[in-house]
Amino acid sequence: MNAHQELTGLFLGAGASYEIGMPLVPGLTEEICNWLTLEKLRALNVNWRSLGRGYQDRVLDDFISVLERPDQHYESLLGYLEVQYTRSSPDSQEYHGLYSWLVDLVYHLLYWRHINNADFIKRNSAYYDGISAFADSNRPLWVFSLNHDVIVECLCLKHGISLNSGFGSEVVRLPRRNKQGRIIGELQAEVLSGEHLESSGMPFLTHGVRGVNLLKIHGALDVFTFRDGKDLLKLLPVEDNIDGPLEALRSANQELVYRPDVPIRASNEIAYADRAGELQFLRRSLLAGAFKFSSRHTQVLPTQLLQHFRSYINYVSRLVCIGYGFSDEHINRIMREWLEFDRDRQLEIVDPSVRDVPNPFLHIAPQVTLQKYAATDYLDKQAGIVRSRDAINHKRFVSLLRQNNQETMSDFLQFGRETQLGKLSEVIDSLSMRNGNVDLEALGMPLEEFVQREARRFSAPDELIDAFLNSRERAG
């Protein structure tokens, strides 16, 4: 692999997708806890019991006791359930059921983030334009991702960049159905057979070809196992534009159905009828919790994916980690060994709050560079993209809103009201006067019309956002 040592690769954690609408671990945890109140969980359990399912009070109370702890995040909650169901206990299956249900909840929260925020994703995708420069200078551009989202797929389609996720040439067509069960179209997906994965690896783009090789190590919203879990399937975009991957997600989750008169409840699975009407299953691939790729726990994703990451990382000599918190030991170990093998290899850590080299890399700290940038600012810097002041302010304002939505919006609206009145007074005071009144002849329009026009001008979002952000800076 020495011929490929001059390539730069990207390694993406949750922070890489934050500015385009995806949550960080604390944000997703807060979203789960805000929705999954204790009252709601108990009410859900009452309903589950009425359907012949549900959990014993001691199991549910135990889970609630952990859910209430302020030091937990959703990955540790899943890890707790994993530990309980691997212990020899009569309640093991119930803990496993709760684990599967919580993973399914995480999937749907992320799924709805895509579907409900499609306009936000399209609008803010412009801030990620720097990825195109990386694809131009690295052929191919290796992208290793721990994220479950389809943001890279959207960006590649926007910029006309060829994308290869390591799947084979086989394409399957899944029948889309309406609520009445009638076929209304088809959804295409590419396939990677388990046999090919184990014996031949993954057919990625070769050296010198412009495009992105994308390896999603922890599964994804658009990746499933099927054929009794032996093979992997990845949805193909419905359209060749940024909407394509989002529409494919929506179609898979809402139009792959079995029969309207026979509801099938399947945790972490999509149950659907093939063209012959036979029941089939797509198993969701999200890998979450405290025991990813652990031999102590079974999982949906084949362990070969981690081994392929260990192999394919050797195609790059510089790895740029964007938004990764270094909390996964199995990932850190591979990165560390990659750096230890060659002193010329470099790791760049891109994080606006990064201060120190992570502990697992202290012994090779000279090979690690810290870049205190947000993801999109770093991409702009590397690509030489200069943003307008309005664009920069827009990013800052959206970031403030996401950090504290209610307080920031309230402050902004109050500031807007006060600022508009103040600026209008300044404008009126500067007008030409005649005998103590505004000189309407010099003004050229009725005073009322002038005031309304100025009110609209000073309520323009860009001007108000700029003034609002400046006022916050002055206030410290």
Side-chain angles (χ1 to χ4, degrees):
M1 297 184 183
N2 291 333
H4 310 296
Q5 290 298 295
E6 297 305 314
L7 292 179
T8 291
L10 302 181
F11 185 93
L12 308 181
S17 299
Y18 178 74
E19 294 170 275
I20 203 167
M22 296 300 113
L24 301 176
V25 169
L28 186 55
T29 302
E30 182 179 7
E31 195 171 341
I32 290 171
C33 292
N34 286 343
W35 182 83
L36 191 60
T37 62
L38 305 186
E39 295 76 14
K40 179 171 289 187
L41 185 55
R42 294 188 189 282
L44 285 170
N45 198 40
V46 169
N47 182 57
W48 291 331
R49 284 175 173 173
S50 70
L51 298 172
R53 299 180 291 126
Y55 304 96
Q56 299 177 78
D57 288 339
R58 66 173 179 269
V59 172
L60 203 65
D61 289 344
D62 183 45
F63 175 56
I64 288 172
S65 71
V66 181
L67 188 64
E68 289 181 308
R69 291 177 61 103
D71 57 352
Q72 297 294 300
H73 54 74
Y74 83 90
E75 292 261 42
S76 60
L77 289 172
L78 288 167
Y80 179 81
L81 294 172
E82 287 177 292
V83 168
Q84 304 315 307
Y85 77 67
T86 55
R87 289 172 171 166
S88 180
S89 163
D91 299 328
S92 293
Q93 288 305 308
E94 292 199 15
Y95 280 109
H96 187 272
L98 272 174
Y99 169 83
S100 298
W101 176 80
L102 189 56
V103 172
D104 195 59
L105 175 60
V106 170
Y107 179 98
H108 280 90
L109 287 174
L110 293 174
Y111 164 70
W112 287 113
R113 275 291 183 108
H114 286 72
I115 303 306
N116 293 338
N117 295 342
D119 288 340
F120 184 91
I121 290 172
K122 287 184 283 187
R123 185 166 58 250
N124 285 271
S125 66
Y127 295 118
Y128 287 80
D129 287 349
I131 198 170
S132 185
F134 272 95
D136 288 336
S137 57
N138 298 278
R139 298 178 178 239
L141 172 63
W142 284 91
V143 177
F144 308 104
S145 178
L146 301 184
N147 299 336
H148 307 306
D149 58 55
V150 297
I151 299 304
V152 173
E153 288 85 345
C154 290
L155 295 175
C156 285
L157 283 168
K158 176 184 177 182
H159 291 284
I161 302 171
S162 176
L163 176 68
N164 189 308
S165 297
F167 282 65
S169 58
E170 180 187 358
V171 174
V172 296
R173 291 170 170 79
L174 310 173
R176 297 165 45 220
R177 300 176 187 270
N178 60 17
K179 294 180 179 180
Q180 289 72 45
R182 183 171 57 85
I183 294 178
I184 57 174
E186 63 182 19
L187 184 61
Q188 297 188 36
E190 54 188 358
V191 175
L192 177 62
S193 72
E195 181 180 356
H196 192 286
L197 179 64
E198 187 168 353
S199 63
S200 306
M202 305 174 76
F204 281 113
L205 299 174
T206 57
H207 184 63
V209 177
R210 184 180 187 270
V212 166
N213 282 337
L214 174 63
L215 179 60
K216 291 185 173 181
I217 305 167
H218 287 171
L221 299 181
D222 61 341
V223 174
F224 305 83
T225 63
F226 77 131
R227 295 173 179 164
D228 297 325
K230 297 176 182 177
D231 301 331
L232 288 172
L233 172 152
K234 178 180 171 65
L235 303 177
L236 289 171
V238 172
E239 305 167 6
D240 290 330
N241 55 43
I242 199 169
D243 290 306
L246 304 176
E247 178 59 20
L249 271 185
R250 187 203 63 78
S251 180
N253 284 276
Q254 298 183 33
E255 296 176 338
L256 295 184
V257 297
Y258 181 50
R259 286 169 47 188
D261 59 325
V262 184
I264 296 179
R265 302 180 183 276
S267 180
N268 281 315
E269 290 181 321
I270 295 177
Y272 72 100
D274 60 21
R275 286 195 171 272
E278 296 294 325
L279 178 63
Q280 305 292 344
F281 292 93
L282 298 180
R283 181 75 172 167
R284 296 187 173 100
S285 68
L286 264 61
L287 187 58
F291 299 95
K292 305 180 186 77
F293 294 109
S294 170
S295 58
R296 295 166 52 194
H297 296 259
T298 59
Q299 61 183 46
V300 174
L301 280 178
T303 58
Q304 288 92 341
L305 286 179
L306 186 64
Q307 298 309 313
H308 285 309
F309 170 52
R310 183 185 298 274
S311 174
Y312 293 133
I313 193 177
N314 291 303
Y315 280 109
V316 303
S317 60
R318 172 177 168 242
L319 188 66
V320 179
C321 287
I322 303 178
Y324 172 50
F326 294 91
S327 59
D328 288 304
E329 293 180 8
H330 57 289
I331 298 296
N332 296 345
R333 186 181 309 112
I334 291 174
M335 285 187 183
R336 187 184 68 238
E337 292 172 355
W338 169 78
L339 280 172
E340 291 169 345
F341 184 80
D342 189 334
R343 66 181 301 163
D344 292 329
R345 290 176 174 175
Q346 296 292 315
L347 177 69
E348 284 190 29
I349 300 175
V350 180
D351 188 318
S353 60
V354 66
R355 293 184 178 180
D356 304 302
V357 173
N359 285 337
F361 302 92
L362 285 175
H363 65 296
I364 41 177
Q367 293 174 248
V368 181
T369 304
L370 307 182
Q371 302 277 5
K372 296 189 70 170
Y373 293 96
T376 58
D377 292 337
Y378 177 82
L379 292 175
D380 281 353
K381 178 175 179 287
Q382 295 297 307
I385 296 174
V386 179
R387 300 285 175 182
S388 68
R389 182 176 180 83
D390 286 347
I392 294 171
N393 284 340
H394 177 264
K395 284 203 299 181
R396 291 172 60 201
F397 184 62
V398 169
S399 179
L400 277 174
L401 281 178
R402 293 194 67 188
Q403 292 171 33
N404 196 333
N405 189 297
Q406 296 296 334
E407 181 181 337
T408 300
M409 182 54 75
S410 176
D411 289 349
F412 176 66
L413 292 176
Q414 179 62 29
F415 177 84
R417 286 189 290 269
E418 295 172 355
T419 302
Q420 289 172 46
L421 291 175
K423 282 185 172 291
L424 279 172
S425 297
E426 292 175 11
V427 171
I428 292 173
D429 288 343
S430 68
L431 294 175
S432 297
M433 308 295 289
R434 178 184 295 178
N435 300 325
N437 295 309
V438 174
D439 187 348
L440 296 180
E441 184 177 344
L443 188 63
M445 66 180 68
L447 182 60
E448 187 176 277
E449 181 180 337
F450 171 78
V451 172
Q452 290 176 345
R453 188 196 70 179
E454 292 301 301
R456 287 194 299 269
R457 184 168 75 85
F458 285 117
S459 64
D462 289 339
E463 287 195 29
L464 276 181
I465 288 173
D466 184 44
F468 175 68
L469 293 174
N470 287 334
S471 73
R472 289 179 69 95
E473 287 183 356
R474 289 194 297 271

